[in-house]
Amino acid sequence: DPDYGILSDYTGTKAESELGFRPVFRYDPKTGDLDIATDRMVRPNGLAFSPDESILYVADTGGSHQQDGPFHILAFDVVEGHTLANPRVFAKPDVGVSDGFRIDEDGNLWTSAGDGVHCFAPDGALIGKIRFPEVISNLTFGGVRRSRLFVTGASTLYSIFVGRRGIQTP
């Protein structure tokens, strides 16, 4: 959970972190338990699961406030539905940072980046980009067939139909 909202009064109210570190939490709706899934990142940000939920992807945007900090997406194996193992760098946008992202039915990861949306195959290879005239912060699949990509820019909400369907768990 990054502390971007409390670093200044720009997007929130400036305050000291109550935790002092930035973990990824796991909430169990059945028991109400809140646990730390991992604290191995500088500034964890966007996250999503693979279609079969065997892999958790988490953006680490630590380079935004730490010199030589990371700007990549990590992948973790999900063991027994609740434990994270085998952390590894999955992908790194070549322009900007990965903030928000979603997964399509084929397991491709669509992420925001400095010059638009970058799409990575399940093996981490860059498949392609959709360029936008401003920095992109987040995206989601929507529409009747989940094939419409909604993309947030610094000042604009974009919408584009794509040839893939996003996964969605109700």
Side-chain angles (χ1 to χ4, degrees):
D1 186 21
D3 55 0
Y4 294 127
I6 62 172
L7 291 175
S8 72
D9 290 326
Y10 182 70
T11 60
T13 302
K14 186 174 182 176
E16 292 294 319
S17 170
E18 294 175 13
L19 298 176
F21 66 110
R22 298 164 199 92
V24 174
F25 292 100
R26 179 186 177 273
Y27 175 72
D28 187 332
K30 292 179 183 173
T31 65
D33 291 341
L34 181 66
D35 299 310
I36 294 174
T38 183
D39 60 358
R40 299 186 61 155
M41 285 166 280
V42 178
R43 290 188 189 273
N45 209 329
L47 54 84
F49 286 98
S50 63
D52 64 0
E53 298 185 356
S54 66
I55 300 172
L56 174 66
Y57 301 100
V58 184
D60 191 343
T61 55
S64 63
H65 289 79
Q66 176 180 320
Q67 188 174 4
D68 298 324
F71 283 123
H72 54 229
I73 300 168
L74 294 178
F76 295 85
D77 295 331
V78 180
V79 180
E80 297 179 5
H82 57 81
T83 302
L84 300 181
N86 191 24
R88 59 209 177 269
V89 173
F90 168 73
K92 180 180 178 183
D94 58 357
V95 178
V97 300
S98 176
D99 188 353
F101 48 83
R102 297 293 183 268
I103 310 294
D104 69 23
E105 291 179 322
D106 297 323
N108 300 314
L109 186 146
W110 300 65
T111 185
S112 59
D115 59 351
V117 173
H118 295 195
C119 184
F120 293 97
D123 66 359
L126 179 65
I127 296 173
K129 297 181 181 184
I130 303 172
R131 296 191 190 270
F132 289 89
E134 62 184 319
V135 174
I136 300 304
S137 59
N138 213 332
L139 55 98
T140 192
F141 288 97
V144 175
R145 295 188 175 101
R146 295 184 324 273
S147 61
R148 188 172 198 164
L149 196 62
F150 292 95
V151 180
T152 57
S155 64
T156 309
L157 173 64
Y158 299 94
S159 168
I160 183 171
F161 285 101
V162 295
R164 297 288 184 265
R165 292 180 187 211
I167 59 170
Q168 181 175 334
T169 303

